[in-house]
Structures are given as C-alpha cells and as structure tokens.
Amino acid sequence: MRGMLDRVARAGHVPMYALSPAQARLSYEAGAGVLDIPPHKLHRVEDLSFAARDGHTLQARLYAPAADHPLPVLLYFHGGGFTVGSVATHEPLCRHLAHLAQCAVVSVDYRLAPEWKFPTAVHDAWDSLAWLREHATALKLDGSKIAVGGDSAGGTLAAVTAIGARDAGWPLALQLLFYPGTAGHQNTASHKTFDKGFLLEEAHIRYFFNHYLRDPQDRNDWRFAPLDGVDASGDVRDLDGVAPAWIGLAECDPLVDEGVAYADRLRMAGVPVDLEIYPGVVHGFIQFGRAIPTALTAHNDAARALRHAFG
C-alpha cells in the first residue's frame, strides 16, 4: 500500500482539489479502472432509467448473474464525494459483487454537486429505492429481498436511505457500507492522523463538501451526518430498527473513526453489525483489486454478508 502511494506521489498529477468539478470528473473517470479488477462477465446487464420526484430522469444499470428466476437485489450508490464518480467508475465492483453474492445489483447515477446541491442526492437515493420496490417484479427481481449499499459518499446515502426505510416501514435485508462518511464535522483523531499523504486528504474532503453543501448548517442535518446530525426538531435520529449492517473500513482513512462510531451507535440501538477494519489500506481500496489482495478479501466479505442477509 505504501509503495502504491509513493508511486502516486511521484507521478506528479495535479491534485483533484485543484481542478474544476468537470475536470475532476474526467480525471476520476480516467483513473478509476487503472488498479481495479477486469469487469466480470455476467448473464444480464441492462441500462435502466426512471423519474425522480421532480421529474428529472435518473440512469441506473442492472447487473445479474442469472435470468431464469427472481434474484435478491443490492441497490448501490457509488462514492466520489457527491461530486465525482458514476455507474461506469464502479462497474467492476458492482459486477464482482453480483457474481460473488449471486444477487442482482442496481447501480444508480444520482445527481452530483455542485450542479445539484444537498439534499438532491439524498432524494435521488430514496426515489431509487421507491422505484425499485415498485418495479422489482417487472425487472424479474425479488422485491422482498432488497439491500442498500455504497462506498464513501455512497455509503452515506445508503445509511441515510436505511433510516428512511425504517421510518417508512420498508424492510431491508442489509445496509452494506464501505467506509461511509457519517459525521457532520471532521474532527476525529483519524482525520488528523491521515489528513495528508493517504490518498483521501483533508483538502479533498473540504473540496467535495464545499461543492455539495448549501451552507454550514447542512453539516448538522442527519441526512448528511447520520451519526450526529439532527432532524427538524433538533433531535439526533435514533437508529432502533434500522436494517442490519455490514461495515468495511480502511485502517489508514480519515473516515475510519466515524465509521467505528457509527457501528457503535447501531449496536447500542440493538442493530446487528458486522464490522471489518482492513489493516494497512486507504480510502478507496476496494477499487484497487488488481494491485491489493485486501480489496478482493473485502469483496468476498461483503458478498458473504449479502448471501447471509438474503438467506
């Protein structure tokens, strides 16, 4: 891992936080597959589209290892600080999870900042779940077995969607969270320890959040910070009755402490939690499977949790 970081540093690339959002997206797209595994071949891959609450058309992609019977499904939200990333950048991961877990995966292109500020991505994530529940049978999926998942910012969206599903009485099999952002303010020890030189730096986080959030008060909204954010009444959201969680964290990641804290809050609420902290790796490592065996370990661990949750 250290050698890979040293190579990145020596390459002398312009850091993402020095780019415009449009340039940052192109840079992220260009580099997304360099260390990732080759896309796994699947029996079924389909492009989907549906309308969000404001009429905007959202794009998604369905991956499935079989087509002869309804499969359980993981609704997946990609990472990228709410500003970069897409279905395309996370296609190898979603294909691999579908293969390993023998489930379908629906990956969503929710709207990105700064063109679309908070809470648009939250609304898109929720509308995706509502649409999937309504159309699962038509898509030859098992609507009684739905999980939500995501990495980084996508993990935040998945966690928030799981809370909303609890409120709506919509049962979920699992929330699958790869190093999610959960806290409103970046003041934990890990944010200080890994603020520079570990791929995701403090400057990146500031860049992403400055594009995504409308004003500083958004940091205190539970839909941005499910760990410590509050609702309109000023109360921290309780987590009783939310879906069981599998949480995979990177040891050398600014977000690791808030990930552990979120797992602790879930456990205190009586939610079953399987927490894995992968040693010696950085934020984003699950897309480095070509170079880091630990990425494939995490894929298999997550897929095992999905298989168990889906029964």
Side-chain angles (χ1 to χ4, degrees), residues 32-234:
V34 173
L35 297 177
D36 214 340
I37 60 174
H40 196 92
K41 292 184 178 179
L42 293 172
H43 184 85
R44 183 182 176 198
V45 178
E46 296 179 16
D47 288 327
L48 309 172
S49 63
F50 56 95
R53 65 188 65 190
D54 60 359
H56 183 90
T57 299
L58 296 175
Q59 305 295 328
R61 189 165 295 157
L62 167 66
Y63 308 98
D68 57 347
H69 61 279
L71 290 171
V73 56
L74 168 67
L75 179 64
Y76 196 85
F77 308 114
H78 66 79
F82 307 102
T83 306
V84 303
S86 65
V87 164
T89 61
H90 286 64
E91 179 152 349
L93 171 65
C94 290
R95 283 176 174 264
H96 203 210
L97 289 175
H99 166 69
L100 293 172
Q102 287 298 291
C103 71
V105 176
V106 173
S107 179
V108 179
D109 264 329
Y110 57 88
R111 283 174 279 184
L112 299 176
E115 294 86 350
W116 300 96
K117 296 281 193 178
F118 173 85
T120 302
V122 177
H123 292 163
D124 287 353
W126 178 254
D127 294 348
S128 301
L129 176 60
W131 177 83
L132 181 60
R133 282 172 49 87
E134 183 177 349
H135 292 86
T137 300
L139 293 169
K140 299 180 181 178
L141 303 174
D142 186 346
S144 69
K145 295 180 179 180
I146 297 176
V148 294
D151 60 292
S152 193
T156 308
L157 295 175
V160 169
T161 300
I163 296 172
R166 183 274 315 269
D167 294 345
W170 294 355
L172 295 174
L174 187 71
Q175 47 179 322
L176 186 86
L177 312 178
F178 293 107
Y179 33 79
T182 62
H185 300 272
Q186 289 62 58
N187 52 14
T188 64
S190 62
H191 275 285
K192 297 178 178 66
T193 301
F194 304 113
D195 68 337
K196 192 170 184 179
F198 292 87
L199 206 62
L200 178 67
E201 300 185 343
E202 189 275 335
H204 292 105
I205 296 172
R206 184 168 8 101
Y207 172 84
F208 291 139
F209 292 173
N210 284 345
H211 284 307
Y212 179 54
L213 299 176
R214 298 167 297 185
D215 56 55
Q217 281 302 111
D218 283 342
R219 287 181 174 272
N220 301 317
D221 192 312
W222 73 272
R223 297 170 298 172
F224 173 71
L227 172 66
D228 52 12
V230 299
D231 59 20
S233 301

